[in-house]
Amino acid sequence: MNDVFTDLIGQDHVVAQLRAAAADGPAARAGLPSSAMTHAWLITGPPGSGRSTAALALAAALVCPQHGCGHCPECVAVKHSAHPDVEHVVPESVTYTVAETRDLVHRSAMSPSKAPWHVFVLEDADRLNAESANTLLKSIEEPTPGTVWILCAPSTEDVLPTIRSRCRHLMLATPSTVEVADALVGVFGVEPAMASFAARAAQGHIGRARALATSEDARLRRQDVLRIPTQLHDLGSCLALAADLVATVTDDTSAICDPLDEREMAQLRAAYGEGAEGRGIGTVERRAKGAVKALEDRQKKRRRRVARDQLDRAIVDLVAFYRDVLVLQLGAGSTLVNDEMRPQLERVAAESMPEDTLRRVDALERTRNLLEANVASLLAFESLTVALRDPSLA
Ligand SMILES: [Zn+2]
């Protein structure tokens, strides 16, 4: 039977601790000593290992009467970010602002509305700077009874020591290709051949593996990206490939964000439209205006983030392509991530030197940094394709 922990592939050790914490939840909430449950957690792991999945699974298990059954109204609400006592916080800018964290601290002082716990899942806790971390510190150290903080970050080194030392740490591992493939077959019913391709291509990133295994669109997008290295004929084709990639990402982002934006706005307007008659209407309209503005800001940030994630994914796929090229050039004999593209990889390997390949990987890393620094994506990718074509210029 699937429960909230089923999606945590290859993380048995962590899952055991999360289950124990959830099982001990009621006792801890009643004030009894518990070794398994605590009020501040730090979950670390490489991208795609399932940090937020683990954090949300623990959140669901704490508010579910059956400790995370996966299908009761509580579990379903957490899954859809709609549980009143589970706050899933995703910072939309480069750092958590002090205002943002102060607001969190303020809300964390409130008792849960219906569940035994009021749970705060903070993604990207590495984006807490000294100031915002300081704002949060006291609440993490001595939270209101019933409040639980679950912080997620790539590694403990990315989190300020003051925060780190106040949390119980759980470390997720990168699941092996075999574990991912087995899970795709066993949990998601994917055909074995497709599962093994998707697991290899996703390099330990479960969500990505699942998307590749189940979506033709995702596979085609990936193919388009991996075709770039063999189509960099001249400056014109470099610029065209960059433009195509960015245009595709913009379209995909709209496909993801437009329906969400519309639904949220309709809900907000409905909430403010109700009962807005007579004498109070001026006040209601003013408040509605403020709320609409705030929602639009959040939506704009989300759109940027979704686009960034897709551009990042393209970079990860291209890095894997050139790593495969390097494996062939050095005759290292390791498994190729893109084994199905062997002829193209061999061609690029034969036409260039290992130094060129390393320069190309550097150019990809540089592009990642440019995106992080909010450089316009078209500009960043144009300079990337140019550098990939002629690495001596990079
Ligand atoms: Zn449940």
Side-chain angles (χ1 to χ4, degrees):
M1 188 57 135
N2 291 359
D3 64 14
V4 291
F5 300 108
T6 310
D7 288 354
L8 286 166
I9 310 302
Q11 314 291 354
D12 295 352
H13 176 64
V14 166
V15 168
Q17 293 189 62
L18 295 178
R19 281 189 197 283
D24 245 12
R29 188 68 184 92
L32 297 171
S34 161
S35 57
M37 178 57 193
T38 185
H39 56 259
W41 299 82
L42 172 62
I43 301 180
T44 63
S49 57
R51 292 187 304 248
S52 51
T53 309
L56 289 170
L58 175 59
L62 288 171
V63 298
C64 162
Q66 296 149 81
H67 312 316
C69 67
H71 28 79
C72 72
E74 312 292 321
C75 287
V76 173
V78 173
K79 192 171 181 181
H80 293 105
S81 299
H83 197 290
D85 294 322
V86 175
E87 304 207 24
H88 183 194
V89 189
V90 183
E92 278 135 348
S93 42
V94 186
T95 53
Y96 276 90
T97 62
V98 172
E100 198 175 357
T101 30
R102 206 172 277 150
D103 196 39
L104 281 173
V105 168
H106 182 71
R107 289 208 300 279
S108 79
M110 292 184 243
S111 303
S113 66
K114 57 174 190 163
W117 301 94
H118 191 183
V119 189
F120 290 79
V121 172
L122 268 61
E123 300 246 3
D124 304 326
D126 48 313
R127 299 189 191 192
L128 285 161
N129 58 16
E131 262 187 308
S132 49
N134 212 22
T135 314
L136 206 60
L137 219 52
K138 186 90 179 134
S139 310
I140 289 190
E141 194 165 36
E142 289 170 39
T144 312
T147 294
V148 178
W149 294 94
I150 310 174
L151 278 54
C152 306
S155 76
T156 50
E157 290 82 57
D158 296 315
V159 183
L160 291 165
T162 46
I163 293 276
R164 192 169 69 209
S165 63
R166 286 162 174 84
C167 297
R168 184 170 303 170
H169 178 214
L170 294 177
M171 187 166 65
L172 298 168
T174 302
S176 71
T177 305
V178 174
E179 281 170 327
V180 174
D182 285 352
L184 290 175
V185 174
V187 182
F188 305 110
V190 173
E191 290 288 313
M194 175 61 84
S196 115
F197 154 76
R200 194 163 31 76
Q203 305 168 66
H205 193 304
I206 306 267
R208 177 81 174 132
R210 195 172 159 188
L212 286 172
T214 55
S215 152
E216 173 79 32
D217 255 11
R219 289 194 291 275
L220 289 174
R221 291 284 141 72
R222 180 169 178 279
Q223 262 174 31
D224 283 345
V225 168
L226 291 175
R227 223 170 267 147
I228 290 177
T230 52
Q231 293 186 334
L232 300 161
H233 310 302
D234 49 28
L235 185 62
S237 45
C238 290
L239 300 184
L241 286 165
D244 279 355
L245 180 71
V246 173
T248 310
V249 165
T250 310
D251 287 351
D252 287 354
T253 305
S254 299
I256 296 169
C257 294
D258 288 352
L260 283 174
D261 288 3
E262 277 167 33
R263 199 171 59 229
E264 287 169 352
M265 198 51 85
Q267 282 167 351
L268 185 76
R269 289 196 196 280
Y272 277 94
E274 283 160 19
E277 288 171 25
R279 281 178 55 194
I281 192 158
T283 323
V284 172
E285 271 176 0
R286 260 198 313 282
R287 279 203 203 130
K289 236 184 200 165
V292 165
K293 172 86 177 59
L295 179 60
E296 282 172 348
D297 285 351
R298 278 205 304 281
Q299 292 178 336
K300 217 179 284 168
K301 286 179 191 161
R302 174 171 64 203
R303 198 169 280 264
R304 267 208 300 274
R305 195 180 168 99
V306 168
R308 253 300 296 286
D309 285 350
Q310 297 184 70
L311 294 170
D312 268 344
R313 193 173 299 148
I315 293 178
V316 168
D317 285 342
L318 287 169
V319 169
F321 181 98
Y322 287 110
R323 257 195 216 131
D324 283 349
V325 168
L326 195 63
V327 166
L328 294 172
Q329 285 173 328
L330 301 177
S334 337
T335 328
L336 300 179
V337 171
N338 303 288
D339 198 41
E340 76 283 358
M341 301 186 71
R342 202 173 262 272
Q344 293 94 311
L345 293 166
E346 278 170 349
R347 214 176 79 210
V348 176
E351 284 168 356
S352 58
M353 303 298 288
E355 302 85 86
D356 298 326
T357 311
L358 290 172
R359 282 208 194 99
R360 285 169 166 146
V361 172
D362 283 348
L364 284 158
E365 289 302 333
R366 236 178 4 255
T367 308
R368 201 198 304 265
N369 295 338
L370 288 176
L371 293 173
E372 192 122 353
N374 283 327
V375 168
S377 40
L378 183 57
L379 201 64
F381 274 84
E382 282 175 350
S383 85
L384 172 66
T385 48
V386 170
L388 291 180
R389 175 171 172 263
D390 187 351
S392 66
L393 299 174

